[in-house]
Amino acid sequence: MSHHWISLTLNGETIEAEVPANRLLSDFLRDQLALTGTKRGCETGVCGACSILIDGEVSKSCLSLAVQAHGKTITTVEGLAQGQALHVLQAAFMEHGGLQCGYCTPGFLIAAADLLSRNTSPDDAEIRKALSGNICRCTGYQGIVDAVRAAAENLNGT
Amino acid sequence: METSAIGQARPQINAREKVLGRARYAGDLKLAGMLHARLLRAPHAHARIVSVDTSAARALAGVRAVATGADVPDRRWGVGHKQQHVLARGVVRFVGEEVAAVVAETPEIAEEALDLIRVEYEELAPLLDPALSLDPGVPQVHEGGNLSEEINIDRGDVDAAFAGADLIHEETYTTHSQYPGYMEPMATLAEVDGAGRLNVWTSTQSVFLARQRLAEALDRPISSIRVIQPTVGGGFGGKIIEERSSVIAAFLATLVDRPVRLGLSRLDDILSGCFSVPATIRLKMGMTRDGTIVAKEVDILADCGAYAGLAGEVMTVTAMRSDNMQRIRNIRTRARLVYTHTMPRGAFRGFGGAQMSFALNSHMATMAEMLGLDVIELHRKNAIGPGETSVHDWKIGSCELPACLDQVSEAIGWGEKRSRAKAGGVLRRGVGMAAAMHVSGNRTIGNWDGSTILLKVNEDGRAVVHTGESDMGQGAFTMLAQICAETLGIPVAHVTVAAPDTDNSPYCIGTLASRVTINGGMAMVKAAEEARATILAAAAAKLGCDAEDLALVDGVIRSADGAHTAPLAEICRYHIYRHGGEGIYVKGSHDPQTVRFDGDFRGNIAPAYSFAAQAVEVEVDTETGQVRLVETYLSDDCGVAINPLAVHGQSNGAAVQALGWTLYEELHFEGGRVINGNLADYTMATADAVPMMHSMIVEGYEPNGPLGAKGASETAILPGAAAIANAVYDAIGVRITDLPITPEKILAGLAELEEASLA
Ligand code: FES
Ligand code: FES
């Protein structure tokens, strides 16, 4: 198996790493960099647990290879908070019951962050549509939708 | 100052680590030198293992161990029926059964080694259809026949009661298997440490049941095993004691002197996961003209797949739990559990209740129409009430079922929507409802349904709760922290709940049977009361006053007249630093005053019972057969809601899970092989497929529960399927009696109606 050197910006820091050509990006993050906030739920691009932001857009990290991340800017769930200060979505998920077991949560936070970067005041239907690439088995989605709506309102000062 | 630690919506105490992505699940854990395991599964539903050649796999560089059924302990493990080896031995009984395992330096090497294992099978005829299982001459799944269990219950005089009934209706309902679908596939990390102890971190609903099972399956002393619960990514019943991968992982760790991690892929998890028990239910019911249920006859055929696991207990619930919801006296029930050469089925949220709830509530709606009564009135008329004793001797404490019925009917606008004129057209709407009950606790697990809490109050006045009850995402730790804070008199933020660990936690049964809030919560109340008494006695000694005059509120000790006051931390330090002092470490235990079933399935098995009702509106597309859930209102009677945010979350999640079972999720087999074992083809609802979920709480007060609470969550999954089926009937006049409700069945039903109208 050939190996490649890649360099990328990860959660605000420039990193370099050597990766086997066939390593999945999700495995690279989790197993090589110990960023285990990115989850494995299906590894077939369906559940969204592995979602990350690549150059600001939501992407399922189980569907790409680590080498493809070369030169990109990546944000994982670990990169959402600023030090001790939670991202507005993280705080809203806590407050509005956006999580229970928490396994799907990193993926939903990332998908929601992507939505709010494109649409600052989504209605419920837009929220549901934007989150339709993620599966949560615990919440029935209501708490998640409530949380995203509240986060948007918070950002808009409404 | 905090007003109250309970009754207000509050985030889970571990929510912060979860949103930060820092909660650690079993598959996130890593130990130095960790190896990776992978499993080889049987491709046949029924076959004899003629030979297994592992030499090429063993020879592969980086492979540390290869195991087959020949290597595992002779002792068989199981719940009641001891039927399974750690890896299949001699015979495979379902497609996906674990035949061999590899431990290697990397997951990739382990995968590669699986391909090098040569297994020679002699294929045998499989038994795939449970309906044929008891026929003569069919393949036998186990020696001793295909009947795993049979129960018969006879109450009152059924024949006489039917003879006196004004209306008798009989129907057969079929329910299918549902995947728990927790988002975290099973994962386990295990090692044998330098002292020879087996340490296991696994995604489990019960560390103590897990340890007991490992001791049995691995044939080693209980105390040589330590099970630790990391954060659990959902369980829904599937992670109690039936999944097999944690057992295999722990066994593999005993073969090598390094830690082994086995994280299942989704496909693996589906193949080895524990789906719910599918049941065919023939239900015959007699009523008088006013809607009083006078007699009921039930015949159930349930399929446990290849191994019995908890399926017998599940079937018992299907057979008799819902009888206790109504004032019925004449019942005859036969239920049979049979084996097939398919994946083992067992515990799933609701524990068999959903199957019968579908049948019973469909039946109630049908009979209400036949009698010209409103189905809600029919439920109300027959509903058991507080203080009553049911036909199986269950003693009903709090019961707010009528209030649940009121709440959902009002919220959805029941009367108005039921009486609106039926519009024709392509899209047709209808409303339906259902009601259900569930236990809070269950003594049938063993002659104990207790719980113990060890509570430590540190020298800074903050508390650490030790429990063996598990949080699988449902919020048990938050509930315990709230009760602790409320009872002791400190802020919730000052309570930490330690992860269950068989070495450090008190013995507990774990998370099943909606027992943790009621029983763990009661133990928590007792422990916190004990700690408070200890603290106030110490404070009285230090402050020179009577303990009775002192109160501990929000971390401060104060006398009623305000003359004496001390911060809790000062008293906690004083409790240690004095002659004969010690840290504050108290215990609270609670075992409810319940009984096990007698030989005839009678007896009050639970300290309390929870109730729920749900009303839904659906829209049926008569051209495509698609059913869309338009509105849903679910009302839960959980006593005092310790944390409404958690109760609503549980109800909403349960309602969507029920919706999935009813409309979207269906396991497809071909020759015993699951052909949709992935999340793209086994479709769990996503956010865009469900409407706004309305969850409501009827607050009662449960005298046997902690601060008035009883269990929530499982009850909420029970009414959904029937509510939807009833709404579909209301919309288009098609009665679906076999789940799931698919577009094909809708269209077939419509065609049949059309034919009948032409005839
Ligand atoms: S793990 Fe990537 S989408 Fe499920
Ligand atoms: S919170 Fe458990 S899967 Fe979403």
Side-chain angles (χ1 to χ4, degrees):
Chain A
M1 180 58 56
S2 65
H3 283 62
H4 298 267
W5 275 96
I6 58 172
S7 99
L8 61 149
T9 306
L10 178 60
N11 296 334
E13 272 180 50
T14 306
I15 62 154
E16 291 197 6
E18 191 185 3
V19 295
N22 65 349
R23 176 151 299 160
L24 292 177
L25 182 51
S26 53
D27 292 346
F28 168 66
L29 293 168
R30 289 176 49 82
D31 299 333
Q32 205 165 333
L33 304 180
L35 291 173
T36 52
T38 298
K39 297 301 183 204
R40 283 188 278 244
C42 68
E43 292 173 286
T44 50
V46 180
C47 77
C50 65
S51 297
I52 58 173
L53 295 174
I54 302 181
D55 290 342
E57 276 184 32
V58 66
S59 173
K60 287 170 177 165
S61 63
C62 72
L63 291 183
S64 53
L65 295 172
V67 288
Q68 294 172 295
H70 179 66
K72 306 275 201 241
T73 296
I74 287 182
T75 304
T76 67
V77 67
E78 290 91 344
L80 289 179
Q82 300 291 322
Q84 285 301 301
L86 293 180
H87 187 282
V88 60
L89 278 164
Q90 290 172 315
F93 268 59
M94 288 177 64
E95 182 118 345
H96 295 274
L99 66 136
Q100 287 171 29
C101 80
Y103 199 82
C104 70
T105 310
F108 273 96
L109 286 167
I110 292 288
D114 172 73
L115 168 68
L116 295 188
S117 73
R118 290 180 284 110
N119 179 352
T120 52
S121 38
D123 62 23
D124 280 14
E126 289 169 321
I127 294 171
R128 287 180 184 276
K129 185 157 187 294
L131 301 180
S132 64
N134 295 63
I135 301 175
C136 173
R137 192 61 151 174
C138 298
T139 64
Y141 303 106
Q142 194 55 48
I144 296 174
V145 173
D146 293 345
V148 176
R149 192 193 318 110
E153 283 165 5
N154 190 339
L155 285 171
N156 295 328
T158 54
Chain B
M1 196 189 95
E2 282 195 314
T3 44
S4 174
I6 67 155
Q8 263 106 56
R10 73 168 55 239
Q12 287 192 13
I13 57 171
N14 45 21
R16 187 179 168 91
E17 66 192 64
K18 290 176 178 173
V19 296
L20 287 169
R22 295 187 58 184
R24 290 212 181 81
Y25 302 79
D28 300 336
L29 303 178
K30 213 178 212 177
L31 288 175
M34 186 176 84
L35 301 169
H36 299 266
R38 288 292 183 268
L39 306 177
L40 185 69
R41 297 178 181 282
H44 306 297
H46 189 201
R48 199 168 66 80
I49 302 173
V50 177
S51 65
V52 188
D53 178 1
T54 60
S55 54
R58 282 176 206 275
L60 186 69
V63 170
R64 295 287 156 211
V66 180
T68 71
D71 305 305
V72 302
D74 291 334
R75 188 170 168 183
R76 293 164 194 256
W77 66 271
V79 182
H81 302 263
K82 308 297 180 190
Q83 296 172 319
Q84 305 195 54
H85 285 113
V86 174
L87 293 167
R89 191 182 267 190
V91 173
V92 294
R93 296 186 175 85
F94 66 98
V95 175
E97 183 159 13
E98 299 83 355
V99 170
V102 173
V103 180
E105 296 287 343
T106 68
E108 292 81 6
I109 296 172
E111 295 276 358
E112 200 182 328
L114 290 184
D115 291 341
L116 299 175
I117 298 174
R118 294 280 161 264
V119 186
E120 193 190 325
Y121 294 98
E122 177 195 333
E123 273 192 74
L124 303 169
L127 169 68
L128 301 175
D129 182 355
L132 304 178
S133 61
L134 300 178
D135 289 357
V138 298
Q140 299 291 293
V141 182
H142 294 282
E143 282 169 27
N146 292 331
L147 182 65
S148 175
E149 276 170 46
E150 172 167 347
I151 62 177
N152 285 282
I153 298 173
D154 208 338
R155 303 273 188 265
D157 189 340
V158 176
D159 295 325
F162 272 121
D166 296 315
L167 174 68
I168 295 173
H169 176 59
E170 183 176 337
E171 183 63 82
T172 298
Y173 302 88
T174 56
T175 61
H176 62 306
S177 230
Q178 185 173 24
Y179 178 45
Y182 37 72
M183 288 315 297
E184 177 208 17
M186 267 307 299
T188 302
L189 170 62
E191 60 149 11
V192 176
D193 67 20
R197 295 188 79 218
L198 175 61
N199 302 314
V200 181
W201 292 260
T202 188
S203 188
T204 181
Q205 295 177 223
S206 170
V207 288
F208 286 98
L209 296 185
R211 185 179 67 169
Q212 183 181 314
R213 185 165 62 124
L214 290 172
E216 178 179 87
L218 274 51
D219 205 7
R220 57 188 289 151
I222 283 179
S223 292
S224 73
I225 303 167
R226 177 182 183 186
V227 178
I228 303 161
Q229 192 207 300
T231 308
V232 172
F236 309 112
K239 296 178 179 174
I240 305 176
I241 41 168
E242 293 166 292
E243 58 74 34
R244 292 175 304 283
S245 67
S246 64
V247 176
I248 299 171
F251 168 72
L252 294 173
T254 66
L255 301 181
V256 291
D257 53 5
R258 287 163 61 180
V260 175
R261 193 173 79 193
L262 174 58
L264 296 190
S265 69
R266 184 58 68 177
L267 172 63
D268 261 327
D269 196 88
I270 289 177
L271 291 180
S272 71
C274 192
F275 281 65
S276 67
V277 177
T280 299
I281 302 167
R282 185 178 63 77
L283 176 59
K284 179 177 163 192
M285 209 182 234
M287 287 183 188
T288 50
R289 203 159 284 120
D290 66 351
T292 306
I293 305 170
V294 293
K296 184 155 93 173
E297 189 179 77
V298 177
D299 195 1
I300 297 169
L301 185 72
D303 177 9
C304 65
Y307 299 104
L310 286 165
E313 284 76 3
V314 169
M315 181 184 71
T316 305
V317 170
T318 308
M320 50 87 71
R321 183 160 295 169
S322 64
D323 297 343
N324 301 283
M325 187 172 84
Q326 298 170 327
R327 285 191 197 113
I328 177 169
R329 291 289 148 196
N330 306 299
I331 294 175
R332 183 160 55 221
T333 298
R334 175 176 75 159
R336 291 170 299 166
L337 182 71
V338 297
Y339 296 109
T340 56
H341 287 113
T342 60
M343 57 169 54
R345 324 298 169 88
F348 173 73
R349 190 183 211 168
F351 211 79
Q355 292 86 327
M356 182 53 91
S357 178
F358 171 64
L360 176 68
N361 280 285
S362 298
H363 220 71
M364 295 277 288
T366 302
M367 294 185 78
E369 188 186 29
M370 289 171 160
L371 289 170
L373 298 171
D374 185 304
V375 65
I376 292 187
E377 290 318 311
L378 199 60
H379 274 287
R380 213 187 294 276
K381 176 157 207 71
N382 291 286
I384 203 158
E388 293 183 43
T389 300
S390 76
V391 63
H392 304 307
D393 287 350
W394 291 14
K395 297 189 183 350
I396 308 300
S398 63
C399 169
E400 301 291 342
L401 181 55
C404 292
L405 295 170
D406 288 344
Q407 213 174 36
V408 298
S409 66
E410 196 169 306
I412 203 163
W414 180 260
E416 194 185 315
K417 285 189 173 147
R418 288 289 286 192
S419 54
R420 69 189 165 194
K422 295 278 167 246
V426 174
L427 301 177
R428 295 189 208 159
R429 290 195 172 193
V431 290
M433 62 77 57
M437 84 177 293
H438 195 70
V439 292
S440 290
N442 190 342
R443 204 179 191 79
T444 57
I445 297 150
N447 192 20
W448 188 64
D449 192 19
S451 189
T452 303
I453 298 281
L454 299 181
L455 175 61
K456 190 165 132 188
V457 187
N458 287 334
E459 61 272 31
D460 63 355
R462 299 189 179 207
V464 182
V465 172
H466 291 273
T467 175
E469 311 293 10
S470 103
D471 195 321
M472 54 176 168
Q474 87 281 30
F477 292 173
T478 308
M479 173 275 297
L480 291 174
Q482 288 179 270
I483 293 177
C484 179
E486 177 78 6
T487 311
L488 188 54
I490 62 174
V492 176
H494 289 185
V495 183
T496 300
V497 180
D501 170 340
T502 54
D503 272 8
N504 298 324
S505 308
Y507 190 90
C508 292
I509 291 171
T511 301
L512 45 117
S514 295
R515 56 178 300 286
V516 173
T517 294
I518 193 149
N519 295 333
M522 283 298 281
M524 186 72 251
V525 169
K526 290 182 178 177
E529 280 173 349
E530 172 89 18
R532 192 183 55 201
T534 304
I535 288 161
L536 295 184
K542 181 153 197 289
L543 301 172
C545 59
D546 279 348
E548 292 79 66
D549 293 339
L550 295 172
L552 169 52
V553 179
D554 217 21
V556 180
I557 292 146
R558 245 188 214 94
S559 59
D561 59 6
H564 302 284
T565 164
L568 175 57
E570 191 181 310
I571 302 304
C572 291
R573 281 188 62 78
Y574 169 74
H575 196 266
I576 303 171
Y577 291 101
R578 54 179 176 163
H579 286 286
E582 60 175 9
I584 298 170
Y585 205 34
V586 301
K587 179 186 76 148
S589 271
H590 178 75
D591 184 25
Q593 294 186 346
T594 48
V595 297
R596 301 184 80 174
F597 283 141
D598 64 13
D600 194 24
F601 298 96
R602 278 184 219 263
N604 187 43
I605 57 169
Y609 301 93
S610 299
F611 298 84
Q614 186 174 6
V616 304
E617 179 167 11
V618 302
E619 184 175 82
V620 183
D621 184 323
T622 52
E623 282 177 353
T624 64
Q626 299 279 352
V627 176
R628 181 172 73 87
L629 186 63
V630 179
E631 272 198 300
T632 163
Y633 295 88
L634 195 148
S635 174
D636 195 52
D637 164 24
C638 59
V640 170
I642 303 274
N643 184 358
L645 190 69
V647 175
H648 291 310
Q650 289 294 311
S651 288
N652 291 335
V656 171
Q657 218 166 18
L659 169 73
W661 186 50
T662 312
L663 297 182
Y664 306 124
E665 299 174 30
E666 187 176 17
L667 200 55
H668 293 289
F669 289 99
E670 222 173 70
R673 184 186 318 269
V674 176
I675 55 168
N676 61 336
N678 62 74
L679 298 187
D681 299 317
Y682 183 88
T683 45
M684 304 197 284
T686 47
D688 55 338
V690 301
M692 179 177 241
M693 309 302 293
H694 296 280
S695 148
M696 301 174 292
I697 297 168
V698 173
E699 282 230 353
Y701 186 92
E702 172 50 52
N704 288 335
L707 313 177
K710 54 187 176 180
S713 152
E714 285 195 274
T715 332
I717 202 169
L718 306 178
I724 293 169
N726 290 339
V728 165
Y729 178 81
D730 184 48
I732 56 169
V734 173
R735 169 60 62 190
I736 304 284
T737 54
D738 57 329
L739 290 176
I741 300 175
T742 60
E744 294 75 26
K745 291 178 195 171
I746 294 279
L747 294 178
L750 285 168
E752 220 169 280
L753 277 187
E754 175 127 12
E755 227 163 84
S757 75
L758 294 177

